[in-house]
C-alpha cells in the first residue's frame, strides 16, 4: 500500500512548501479537496509543475457545475504542466449543495455520473461525440503538446456508484469508509465491475482523518466540530452505519503512533492501494502524524510493496 497526504487548500504558501516536502520525502501522492475556495486544478498546475515525482490528485472535483468538456480541457492542461502526474478525482457532491447552491437537479445521481464519465472519457481524448438523457458533449479540443489523459477516479460509496466506477473509471477515492466496508462492499463491488468490463484492477484510495496523540479523548473531541458535518449526510451516514459508528469523529484514526500504525494496517489488509492521511490536532500532533506517514512511506519504498 502506498501512502499519501489528503489536504484542504488554505494558505497557498504553506501548501507549496508542503508539496515540495512531500515530493522530497518520497510520499507517493498528494490529494487536494475542491470546495468553494481556490480552484484545485489551477493550484495543482501552478505548484506541482516543478516537482519531480509526486502524483497529485483532486479529491474530488464536483461534476454538476462543470461540463465534461470544460473539465477535460482544464485537466489535460494541468496534466501537461505536471508531466502526466495528475489524477482527476471527481464526484457527485450532495443534494444539499447541488440543488440550493447551483440550482440543478440531483435526481438519479448514478445516471448523471454514468453519462458524465462516458462524456468525460471521450473528451479527454480531445474528441467526443456523446448524447445522453441529460448530458450532451460533442466537439473537439485542440490542446497542443499531446498531453496524456489523466486517470479518472470517482468518490464512489454505494453499490451503484461502485459498479459504474469499476466499469468506467480507474478507481475510487473514499472518505468516511472504514475497513469493514472496504472488505464487505467497496473492494469486491468495484473489482467485480472492473473485471466484467475488462478493465485493470481498480485503484482504491482511502482518505481519513489521522491524529497521533497522547491524549486521544481530547483529540477526538477537537475533531468533532470539523467532521460533524458528515454525521447526517445520507451517503456518509450509510458508511458510518456499516461500520457501526454513531459519529463521524469515530471514523478518525486517533491514538499513539503504534495504535495509529495498527489501524492504518487494517486498511491495507482490507484492500486499499493508497492510504492518504488528513492531519488533525495541535501543531505538535500534526508534526507527529506527518512523521509517521513519512516513515510508513519510506518503509513501502524500501520493501517495494507500493505501486511506485
Amino acid at each position: 500500500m502506498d501512502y499519501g497526504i489528503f489536504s484542504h487548500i488554505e494558505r497557498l504558501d504553506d501548501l507549496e512548501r508542503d508539496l515540495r516536502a512531500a515530493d522530497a520525502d518520497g510520499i507517493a501522492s498528494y490529494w487536494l479537496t475542491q470546495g468553494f475556495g481556490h480552484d484545485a486544478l489551477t493550484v495543482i498546475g501552478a505548484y506541482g509543475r516543478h516537482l519531480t515525482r509526486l502524483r497529485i490528485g483532486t479529491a474530488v472535483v464536483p461534476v454538476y457545475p462543470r461540463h465534461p468538456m470544460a473539465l477535460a480541457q482544464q485537466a489535460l492542461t494541468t496534466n501537461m504542466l505536471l508531466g502526466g502526474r495528475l489524477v482527476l478525482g471527481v464526484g457527485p457532491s450532495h443534494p444539499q449543495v447541488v440543488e440550493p447552491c447551483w440550482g440543478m437537479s440531483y435526481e438519479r445521481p448514478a445516471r448523471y455520473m454514468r453519462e458524465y464519465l462516458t462524456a468525460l472519457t471521450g473528451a479527454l481524448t480531445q474528441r467526443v461525440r456523446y448524447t445522453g438523457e441529460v448530458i450532451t458533449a460533442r466537439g473537439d479540443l485542440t490542446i497542443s503538446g499531446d498531453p496524456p489523459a489523466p486517470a479518472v477516479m470517482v468518490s464512489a460509496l454505494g453499490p451503484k456508484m461502485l459498479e459504474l466506477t469499476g466499469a468506467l473509471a480507474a478507481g475510487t477515492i473514499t472518505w468516511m469508509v472504514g475497513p469493514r466496508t472496504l472488505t464487505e462492499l467497496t473492494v469486491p463491488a468495484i473489482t467485480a465491475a472492473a473485471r466484467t468490463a475488462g478493465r485493470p484492477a481498480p485503484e482504491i484510495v482511502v482518505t481519513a482523518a489521522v491524529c497521533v496523540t497522547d491524549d486521544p479523548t481530547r483529540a477526538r473531541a477537537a475533531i468533532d466540530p470539523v467532521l460533524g458535518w458528515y454525521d447526517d449526510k445520507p451517503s456518509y451516514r450509510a458508511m458510518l452505519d456499516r461500520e457501526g459508528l454513531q459519529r463521524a469523529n469515530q471514523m478518525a484514526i486517533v491514538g499513539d503512533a503504534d495504535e495509529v500504525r495498527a489501524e492504518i494496517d487494517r486498511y491495507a489488509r482490507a484492500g486499499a492501494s493508497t492510504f492518504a492521511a488528513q492531519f488533525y490536532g495541535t501543531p505538535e500532533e500534526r508534526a507527529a502524524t506527518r512523521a509517521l506517514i513519512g516513515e510508513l512511506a519510506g518503509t513501502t519504498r524500501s520493501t517495494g510493496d507500493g505501486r511506485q
Side-chain angles (χ1 to χ4, degrees):
M1 185 172 73
D2 279 338
Y3 294 90
I5 294 172
F6 176 51
S7 180
H8 297 294
I9 302 173
E10 296 175 350
R11 292 179 290 272
L12 293 179
D13 288 346
D14 291 346
L15 175 62
E16 183 178 18
R17 284 192 293 270
D18 204 31
L19 285 167
R20 290 181 180 276
D23 189 53
D25 293 348
I27 300 293
S29 56
Y30 203 110
W31 305 84
L32 289 172
T33 61
Q34 172 73 55
F36 288 100
H38 298 90
D39 179 76
L41 284 169
T42 302
V43 170
I44 289 170
Y47 293 134
R49 183 177 185 181
H50 301 297
L51 304 180
T52 59
R53 50 163 300 285
L54 186 69
R55 293 174 75 211
I56 310 178
T58 56
V60 294
V61 174
V63 298
Y64 277 90
R66 296 166 178 84
H67 190 275
M69 289 180 67
L71 182 58
Q73 184 179 34
Q74 187 181 16
L76 285 167
T77 302
T78 302
N79 202 34
M80 179 178 62
L81 292 173
L82 265 62
R85 289 179 287 110
L86 176 70
V87 181
L88 180 60
V90 299
S93 188
H94 306 276
Q96 296 90 342
V97 176
V98 173
E99 294 180 343
C101 295
W102 300 322
M104 303 179 72
S105 170
Y106 201 76
E107 182 184 6
R108 297 176 62 187
R111 176 194 62 179
Y112 191 90
M113 182 60 74
R114 183 179 297 278
E115 292 194 9
Y116 193 98
L117 287 173
T118 303
L120 177 64
T121 300
L124 286 170
T125 70
Q126 301 204 48
R127 178 179 173 83
V128 59
R129 303 289 187 270
Y130 178 76
T131 302
E133 293 182 50
V134 292
I135 289 178
T136 297
R138 299 179 60 82
D140 298 340
L141 299 177
T142 57
I143 300 171
S144 62
D146 193 26
V152 177
M153 301 184 67
V154 181
S155 59
L157 299 179
K160 288 184 179 180
M161 283 290 184
L162 287 166
E163 180 182 352
L164 70 88
T165 297
L168 298 174
T172 185
I173 305 168
T174 72
W175 174 248
M176 291 292 151
V177 172
R180 179 189 302 173
T181 303
L182 281 180
T183 300
E184 297 177 355
L185 172 64
T186 308
V187 174
I190 194 173
T191 302
R195 185 183 303 116
T196 298
R199 296 182 62 90
E203 184 173 3
I204 298 168
V205 176
V206 169
T207 64
V210 185
C211 180
V212 173
T213 179
D214 59 4
D215 190 349
T217 300
R218 177 199 52 76
R220 198 175 294 279
I223 292 172
D224 185 62
V226 181
L227 298 189
W229 187 85
Y230 301 97
D231 285 342
D232 60 356
K233 301 299 177 290
S235 57
Y236 293 120
R237 181 70 259 165
M239 298 300 103
L240 295 173
D241 290 344
R242 281 183 171 273
E243 297 292 322
L245 303 178
Q246 296 299 314
R247 303 293 303 275
N249 74 345
Q250 295 174 284
M251 192 71 80
I253 300 174
V254 178
D256 64 30
D258 288 340
E259 291 169 327
V260 168
R261 186 182 291 106
E263 189 64 19
I264 290 175
D265 185 61
R266 291 183 63 206
Y267 285 91
R269 288 185 278 111
S273 50
T274 292
F275 180 90
Q278 185 172 40
F279 307 142
Y280 282 88
T282 66
E284 294 76 16
E285 289 167 341
R286 289 172 182 248
T289 307
R290 172 64 171 77
L292 177 61
I293 296 300
E295 173 193 326
L296 292 171
T299 301
T300 296
R301 292 196 313 277
S302 65
T303 60
D305 290 338
R307 286 186 168 228
Q308 299 181 66

